[in-house]
Amino acid sequence: MVMDASQVAELKLFVDQCKSNPSILHSPSLSFFKSYLQSLGARIPPDPQPDKGGFNMAEPEQHSDAKKPNFSNEEDDDIVESDVEFDNTGVVESDNDPPQKMGDPSVEVTDDKRDAAQTEKLKAIDAISEGKLDEAIDYLTEAITLHPTSAILYATRASVFVKLSKPNAAICDAGAALEINPDSAKGYKVRGMARAMLGLWEEAASDLHVASKLDYDEEIGSALKKVEPNARKIEEHRRKYERLRKERELKRNECQRQQQKAESQVSGIN
């Protein structure tokens, strides 16, 4: 049989593909061509990965998909992400104390209770100024019991927990403050600072940005200067590996397409 020009061109393309990726020849559908080349004394490179996506010609019955494409080790392995280096200044161990006492929101708050809660709050402020943080927690807990629907009391106790390096307790109180008042700048501010203490950089940055929009102060600005660089590193890291995975998927699809095209061309010639 004499091949026309188009068939010769297809054969040449297939040969070029075999040169660039000899593993194509290990496909069962091309076994006749491989045997022909070997009968002429050709040396066929061994299948680089017979146990990882390749084909074992000696035991073809073990492979249910005879036309599964061969991929290099680089394509089969998952992309291993590198670690991100953070500035962990101020990060502390997670606190695992028993949950602090919370107020009962169903309790009726009378004027007398409201006044008594304010008195306890003032005692707490004095204790904080004297560095007696545990006493301040006790005063604020009593104030919360008297006035359980006060967002500022929860946010203030949360700020003391931050000073005590108890970020989880602070996050709990800040969350309670935000449930009562979703626009509590102090609630977002303290929760952001507490999350930063746990190394939750993106969450911390989000809270601090909201706090800065509600009621900016220098403490928020200082916290953001520390948190934002770490949050940006996480975002850049995520984008980098999303791009690498997309590039690898495109390469995998192209390899599949080329192999399927090669097999189709050989079948047409045969």
Side-chain angles (χ1 to χ4, degrees):
M1 180 185 76
V2 178
M3 299 174 59
D4 60 30
S6 62
Q7 290 176 318
V8 171
E10 290 178 353
L11 179 59
K12 184 178 183 301
L13 176 60
F14 169 68
V15 171
D16 289 339
Q17 290 172 341
C18 289
K19 288 179 179 179
S20 62
N21 183 17
S23 63
I24 292 176
L25 296 171
H26 292 284
S27 174
S29 63
L30 300 179
S31 59
F32 73 94
F33 188 59
K34 175 182 174 184
S35 298
Y36 170 68
L37 293 176
Q38 289 174 327
S39 70
L40 297 177
R43 184 180 66 83
I44 307 298
D47 189 352
Q49 291 294 330
D51 296 326
K52 289 185 66 177
F55 301 95
N56 187 335
M57 298 300 292
E59 299 178 351
E61 68 278 6
Q62 295 180 0
H63 301 276
S64 60
D65 185 1
K67 291 189 177 182
K68 182 179 179 181
N70 293 313
F71 296 108
S72 67
N73 209 20
E74 178 183 355
E75 292 170 333
D76 279 341
D77 291 343
D78 289 334
I79 293 175
V80 179
E81 296 189 16
S82 60
D83 294 330
V84 181
E85 294 185 3
F86 299 115
D87 176 5
N88 288 318
T89 304
V91 174
V92 301
E93 293 290 332
S94 177
D95 52 310
N96 296 306
D97 296 340
Q100 63 267 38
K101 184 178 179 180
M102 309 296 280
D104 181 357
S106 66
V107 170
E108 180 183 358
V109 181
T110 63
D111 290 340
D112 288 343
K113 287 184 176 182
R114 188 176 289 105
D115 291 342
Q118 181 63 20
T119 299
E120 295 299 316
K121 178 186 175 184
L122 293 175
K123 291 179 182 178
I125 292 173
D126 289 339
I128 292 171
S129 66
E130 296 174 3
K132 300 176 181 179
L133 300 181
D134 289 326
E135 283 188 22
I137 291 293
D138 292 338
Y139 289 132
L140 288 166
T141 299
E142 180 61 24
I144 288 170
T145 302
L146 292 165
H147 191 179
T149 56
S150 171
I152 192 62
L153 290 177
Y154 277 111
T156 301
R157 189 172 69 171
S159 69
V160 180
F161 278 128
V162 166
K163 294 179 184 294
L164 287 168
S165 296
K166 295 184 177 183
N168 282 324
I171 290 170
C172 180
D173 272 358
L178 290 168
E179 285 185 10
I180 297 169
N181 178 16
D183 293 325
S184 171
K186 189 166 186 176
Y188 281 111
K189 169 185 171 180
V190 176
R191 190 172 68 177
M193 295 171 66
R195 284 173 164 175
M197 294 173 71
L198 293 173
L200 302 174
W201 306 116
E202 290 183 299
E203 296 88 341
S206 176
D207 279 344
L208 291 168
H209 277 297
V210 175
S212 69
K213 292 178 181 179
L214 293 170
D215 187 15
Y216 179 84
D217 61 33
E218 292 184 1
E219 193 174 20
I220 294 173
S222 177
L224 279 170
K225 286 180 180 179
K226 174 189 172 183
V227 168
E228 283 185 316
N230 286 338
R232 279 196 296 267
K233 286 181 180 180
I234 295 173
E235 179 61 23
E236 291 168 359
H237 180 85
R238 182 185 298 115
R239 289 179 180 176
K240 171 185 174 181
Y241 284 94
E242 284 178 354
R243 183 178 69 254
L244 289 175
R245 290 188 179 93
K246 288 180 181 178
E247 289 174 353
R248 188 184 67 167
E249 184 63 23
L250 289 173
K251 183 178 178 182
R252 185 194 300 272
N253 292 338
E254 178 62 17
C255 185
Q256 288 178 319
R257 190 185 69 80
Q258 290 292 340
Q259 185 163 332
Q260 291 171 355
K261 181 178 179 181
E263 291 178 357
S264 176
Q265 290 170 342
V266 171
S267 298
I269 294 171
N270 191 43

PDB file of all heavy atoms in Angstrom, residues 159 162-163 186 189-190 193 208 211-212 215-226:
ATOM      1  N   SER A 159     -11.385  42.563  76.543  1.00  0.00           N
ATOM      2  CA  SER A 159     -10.105  43.282  76.470  1.00  0.00           C
ATOM      3  C   SER A 159      -9.189  42.911  77.621  1.00  0.00           C
ATOM      4  O   SER A 159      -7.960  42.889  77.467  1.00  0.00           O
ATOM      5  CB  SER A 159     -10.356  44.794  76.453  1.00  0.00           C
ATOM      6  OG  SER A 159     -10.852  45.247  77.698  1.00  0.00           O
ATOM      7  N   VAL A 162      -7.558  39.633  76.846  1.00  0.00           N
ATOM      8  CA  VAL A 162      -6.425  39.845  75.944  1.00  0.00           C
ATOM      9  C   VAL A 162      -5.189  40.195  76.750  1.00  0.00           C
ATOM     10  O   VAL A 162      -4.088  39.682  76.509  1.00  0.00           O
ATOM     11  CB  VAL A 162      -6.744  40.933  74.900  1.00  0.00           C
ATOM     12  CG1 VAL A 162      -5.473  41.387  74.193  1.00  0.00           C
ATOM     13  CG2 VAL A 162      -7.747  40.419  73.882  1.00  0.00           C
ATOM     14  N   LYS A 163      -5.339  41.088  77.724  1.00  0.00           N
ATOM     15  CA  LYS A 163      -4.208  41.469  78.577  1.00  0.00           C
ATOM     16  C   LYS A 163      -3.675  40.277  79.367  1.00  0.00           C
ATOM     17  O   LYS A 163      -2.469  40.203  79.677  1.00  0.00           O
ATOM     18  CB  LYS A 163      -4.633  42.576  79.540  1.00  0.00           C
ATOM     19  CG  LYS A 163      -4.978  43.903  78.867  1.00  0.00           C
ATOM     20  CD  LYS A 163      -5.404  44.940  79.892  1.00  0.00           C
ATOM     21  CE  LYS A 163      -5.840  46.251  79.253  1.00  0.00           C
ATOM     22  NZ  LYS A 163      -4.716  46.940  78.580  1.00  0.00           N
ATOM     23  N   LYS A 186     -15.546  48.033  69.508  1.00  0.00           N
ATOM     24  CA  LYS A 186     -14.657  47.403  70.483  1.00  0.00           C
ATOM     25  C   LYS A 186     -14.723  45.888  70.382  1.00  0.00           C
ATOM     26  O   LYS A 186     -13.720  45.202  70.574  1.00  0.00           O
ATOM     27  CB  LYS A 186     -15.024  47.853  71.899  1.00  0.00           C
ATOM     28  CG  LYS A 186     -14.006  47.421  72.955  1.00  0.00           C
ATOM     29  CD  LYS A 186     -14.209  48.154  74.256  1.00  0.00           C
ATOM     30  CE  LYS A 186     -13.103  47.812  75.242  1.00  0.00           C
ATOM     31  NZ  LYS A 186     -13.219  48.590  76.509  1.00  0.00           N
ATOM     32  N   LYS A 189     -12.601  45.013  67.404  1.00  0.00           N
ATOM     33  CA  LYS A 189     -11.206  45.335  67.712  1.00  0.00           C
ATOM     34  C   LYS A 189     -10.583  44.272  68.613  1.00  0.00           C
ATOM     35  O   LYS A 189      -9.510  43.732  68.317  1.00  0.00           O
ATOM     36  CB  LYS A 189     -11.138  46.706  68.390  1.00  0.00           C
ATOM     37  CG  LYS A 189      -9.805  47.060  68.988  1.00  0.00           C
ATOM     38  CD  LYS A 189      -9.903  48.394  69.727  1.00  0.00           C
ATOM     39  CE  LYS A 189      -8.674  48.716  70.529  1.00  0.00           C
ATOM     40  NZ  LYS A 189      -8.797  50.022  71.231  1.00  0.00           N
ATOM     41  N   VAL A 190     -11.261  43.950  69.716  1.00  0.00           N
ATOM     42  CA  VAL A 190     -10.703  42.987  70.667  1.00  0.00           C
ATOM     43  C   VAL A 190     -10.653  41.592  70.060  1.00  0.00           C
ATOM     44  O   VAL A 190      -9.675  40.854  70.254  1.00  0.00           O
ATOM     45  CB  VAL A 190     -11.530  42.983  71.970  1.00  0.00           C
ATOM     46  CG1 VAL A 190     -11.024  41.910  72.917  1.00  0.00           C
ATOM     47  CG2 VAL A 190     -11.469  44.345  72.641  1.00  0.00           C
ATOM     48  N   MET A 193      -7.666  41.440  67.775  1.00  0.00           N
ATOM     49  CA  MET A 193      -6.417  41.334  68.522  1.00  0.00           C
ATOM     50  C   MET A 193      -6.230  39.931  69.100  1.00  0.00           C
ATOM     51  O   MET A 193      -5.124  39.384  69.105  1.00  0.00           O
ATOM     52  CB  MET A 193      -6.398  42.385  69.632  1.00  0.00           C
ATOM     53  CG  MET A 193      -6.377  43.822  69.108  1.00  0.00           C
ATOM     54  SD  MET A 193      -6.606  45.083  70.393  1.00  0.00           S
ATOM     55  CE  MET A 193      -5.095  44.843  71.340  1.00  0.00           C
ATOM     56  N   LEU A 208     -10.192  43.643  62.349  1.00  0.00           N
ATOM     57  CA  LEU A 208      -9.579  44.945  62.604  1.00  0.00           C
ATOM     58  C   LEU A 208      -9.965  45.976  61.543  1.00  0.00           C
ATOM     59  O   LEU A 208     -10.116  47.165  61.838  1.00  0.00           O
ATOM     60  CB  LEU A 208      -8.063  44.797  62.699  1.00  0.00           C
ATOM     61  CG  LEU A 208      -7.569  44.032  63.932  1.00  0.00           C
ATOM     62  CD1 LEU A 208      -6.089  43.682  63.805  1.00  0.00           C
ATOM     63  CD2 LEU A 208      -7.811  44.841  65.203  1.00  0.00           C
ATOM     64  N   ALA A 211     -13.386  47.140  62.513  1.00  0.00           N
ATOM     65  CA  ALA A 211     -13.275  48.028  63.676  1.00  0.00           C
ATOM     66  C   ALA A 211     -12.787  49.414  63.271  1.00  0.00           C
ATOM     67  O   ALA A 211     -13.278  50.436  63.769  1.00  0.00           O
ATOM     68  CB  ALA A 211     -12.330  47.407  64.707  1.00  0.00           C
ATOM     69  N   SER A 212     -11.824  49.441  62.339  1.00  0.00           N
ATOM     70  CA  SER A 212     -11.263  50.732  61.921  1.00  0.00           C
ATOM     71  C   SER A 212     -12.296  51.578  61.182  1.00  0.00           C
ATOM     72  O   SER A 212     -12.274  52.808  61.256  1.00  0.00           O
ATOM     73  CB  SER A 212     -10.033  50.518  61.039  1.00  0.00           C
ATOM     74  OG  SER A 212     -10.386  49.959  59.785  1.00  0.00           O
ATOM     75  N   ASP A 215     -14.830  52.760  64.216  1.00  0.00           N
ATOM     76  CA  ASP A 215     -14.294  53.744  65.171  1.00  0.00           C
ATOM     77  C   ASP A 215     -12.779  53.560  65.257  1.00  0.00           C
ATOM     78  O   ASP A 215     -12.267  52.895  66.153  1.00  0.00           O
ATOM     79  CB  ASP A 215     -14.940  53.547  66.545  1.00  0.00           C
ATOM     80  CG  ASP A 215     -14.546  54.634  67.537  1.00  0.00           C
ATOM     81  OD1 ASP A 215     -14.010  55.666  67.089  1.00  0.00           O
ATOM     82  OD2 ASP A 215     -14.770  54.439  68.756  1.00  0.00           O
ATOM     83  N   TYR A 216     -12.060  54.178  64.346  1.00  0.00           N
ATOM     84  CA  TYR A 216     -10.609  53.986  64.271  1.00  0.00           C
ATOM     85  C   TYR A 216      -9.904  54.627  65.467  1.00  0.00           C
ATOM     86  O   TYR A 216     -10.280  55.703  65.936  1.00  0.00           O
ATOM     87  CB  TYR A 216     -10.064  54.603  62.979  1.00  0.00           C
ATOM     88  CG  TYR A 216      -8.567  54.466  62.850  1.00  0.00           C
ATOM     89  CD1 TYR A 216      -8.007  53.299  62.338  1.00  0.00           C
ATOM     90  CD2 TYR A 216      -7.723  55.491  63.263  1.00  0.00           C
ATOM     91  CE1 TYR A 216      -6.627  53.170  62.228  1.00  0.00           C
ATOM     92  CE2 TYR A 216      -6.344  55.366  63.156  1.00  0.00           C
ATOM     93  CZ  TYR A 216      -5.801  54.194  62.643  1.00  0.00           C
ATOM     94  OH  TYR A 216      -4.435  54.067  62.546  1.00  0.00           O
ATOM     95  N   ASP A 217      -8.887  53.910  65.972  1.00  0.00           N
ATOM     96  CA  ASP A 217      -7.988  54.496  66.957  1.00  0.00           C
ATOM     97  C   ASP A 217      -6.574  53.973  66.699  1.00  0.00           C
ATOM     98  O   ASP A 217      -6.365  53.087  65.861  1.00  0.00           O
ATOM     99  CB  ASP A 217      -8.435  54.203  68.400  1.00  0.00           C
ATOM    100  CG  ASP A 217      -8.475  52.716  68.737  1.00  0.00           C
ATOM    101  OD1 ASP A 217      -7.643  51.943  68.199  1.00  0.00           O
ATOM    102  OD2 ASP A 217      -9.319  52.309  69.543  1.00  0.00           O
ATOM    103  N   GLU A 218      -5.596  54.524  67.401  1.00  0.00           N
ATOM    104  CA  GLU A 218      -4.200  54.173  67.155  1.00  0.00           C
ATOM    105  C   GLU A 218      -3.900  52.709  67.468  1.00  0.00           C
ATOM    106  O   GLU A 218      -3.045  52.097  66.823  1.00  0.00           O
ATOM    107  CB  GLU A 218      -3.284  55.081  67.991  1.00  0.00           C
ATOM    108  CG  GLU A 218      -3.296  56.534  67.543  1.00  0.00           C
ATOM    109  CD  GLU A 218      -2.314  57.390  68.321  1.00  0.00           C
ATOM    110  OE1 GLU A 218      -1.612  56.831  69.196  1.00  0.00           O
ATOM    111  OE2 GLU A 218      -2.243  58.601  68.060  1.00  0.00           O
ATOM    112  N   GLU A 219      -4.598  52.151  68.444  1.00  0.00           N
ATOM    113  CA  GLU A 219      -4.368  50.750  68.806  1.00  0.00           C
ATOM    114  C   GLU A 219      -4.763  49.825  67.653  1.00  0.00           C
ATOM    115  O   GLU A 219      -4.083  48.842  67.367  1.00  0.00           O
ATOM    116  CB  GLU A 219      -5.143  50.401  70.076  1.00  0.00           C
ATOM    117  CG  GLU A 219      -4.711  49.071  70.702  1.00  0.00           C
ATOM    118  CD  GLU A 219      -5.375  48.818  72.037  1.00  0.00           C
ATOM    119  OE1 GLU A 219      -6.431  49.432  72.317  1.00  0.00           O
ATOM    120  OE2 GLU A 219      -4.861  47.992  72.808  1.00  0.00           O
ATOM    121  N   ILE A 220      -5.848  50.168  66.983  1.00  0.00           N
ATOM    122  CA  ILE A 220      -6.273  49.379  65.814  1.00  0.00           C
ATOM    123  C   ILE A 220      -5.243  49.515  64.702  1.00  0.00           C
ATOM    124  O   ILE A 220      -4.855  48.527  64.069  1.00  0.00           O
ATOM    125  CB  ILE A 220      -7.653  49.841  65.320  1.00  0.00           C
ATOM    126  CG1 ILE A 220      -8.730  49.536  66.364  1.00  0.00           C
ATOM    127  CG2 ILE A 220      -8.002  49.159  63.989  1.00  0.00           C
ATOM    128  CD1 ILE A 220     -10.095  50.106  66.018  1.00  0.00           C
ATOM    129  N   GLY A 221      -4.791  50.738  64.467  1.00  0.00           N
ATOM    130  CA  GLY A 221      -3.789  50.961  63.421  1.00  0.00           C
ATOM    131  C   GLY A 221      -2.512  50.199  63.695  1.00  0.00           C
ATOM    132  O   GLY A 221      -1.923  49.610  62.775  1.00  0.00           O
ATOM    133  N   SER A 222      -2.072  50.179  64.950  1.00  0.00           N
ATOM    134  CA  SER A 222      -0.857  49.450  65.316  1.00  0.00           C
ATOM    135  C   SER A 222      -1.037  47.954  65.102  1.00  0.00           C
ATOM    136  O   SER A 222      -0.126  47.272  64.603  1.00  0.00           O
ATOM    137  CB  SER A 222      -0.513  49.738  66.780  1.00  0.00           C
ATOM    138  OG  SER A 222       0.619  49.002  67.188  1.00  0.00           O
ATOM    139  N   ALA A 223      -2.207  47.437  65.464  1.00  0.00           N
ATOM    140  CA  ALA A 223      -2.474  46.005  65.288  1.00  0.00           C
ATOM    141  C   ALA A 223      -2.501  45.632  63.813  1.00  0.00           C
ATOM    142  O   ALA A 223      -1.992  44.579  63.410  1.00  0.00           O
ATOM    143  CB  ALA A 223      -3.794  45.632  65.958  1.00  0.00           C
ATOM    144  N   LEU A 224      -3.086  46.496  62.991  1.00  0.00           N
ATOM    145  CA  LEU A 224      -3.150  46.220  61.557  1.00  0.00           C
ATOM    146  C   LEU A 224      -1.762  46.198  60.920  1.00  0.00           C
ATOM    147  O   LEU A 224      -1.503  45.402  60.008  1.00  0.00           O
ATOM    148  CB  LEU A 224      -4.025  47.254  60.853  1.00  0.00           C
ATOM    149  CG  LEU A 224      -5.538  47.020  60.919  1.00  0.00           C
ATOM    150  CD1 LEU A 224      -6.295  48.228  60.404  1.00  0.00           C
ATOM    151  CD2 LEU A 224      -5.912  45.770  60.133  1.00  0.00           C
ATOM    152  N   LYS A 225      -0.865  47.066  61.364  1.00  0.00           N
ATOM    153  CA  LYS A 225       0.485  47.086  60.809  1.00  0.00           C
ATOM    154  C   LYS A 225       1.199  45.751  61.026  1.00  0.00           C
ATOM    155  O   LYS A 225       2.049  45.347  60.225  1.00  0.00           O
ATOM    156  CB  LYS A 225       1.297  48.215  61.452  1.00  0.00           C
ATOM    157  CG  LYS A 225       0.906  49.601  60.961  1.00  0.00           C
ATOM    158  CD  LYS A 225       1.752  50.683  61.624  1.00  0.00           C
ATOM    159  CE  LYS A 225       1.348  52.071  61.133  1.00  0.00           C
ATOM    160  NZ  LYS A 225       2.138  53.140  61.794  1.00  0.00           N
ATOM    161  N   LYS A 226       0.863  45.076  62.104  1.00  0.00           N
ATOM    162  CA  LYS A 226       1.464  43.774  62.381  1.00  0.00           C
ATOM    163  C   LYS A 226       0.748  42.642  61.647  1.00  0.00           C
ATOM    164  O   LYS A 226       1.373  41.729  61.113  1.00  0.00           O
ATOM    165  CB  LYS A 226       1.426  43.500  63.884  1.00  0.00           C
ATOM    166  CG  LYS A 226       1.905  42.105  64.242  1.00  0.00           C
ATOM    167  CD  LYS A 226       1.662  41.787  65.691  1.00  0.00           C
ATOM    168  CE  LYS A 226       1.965  40.315  65.972  1.00  0.00           C
ATOM    169  NZ  LYS A 226       1.672  39.948  67.368  1.00  0.00           N
TER     170      LYS A 226
END
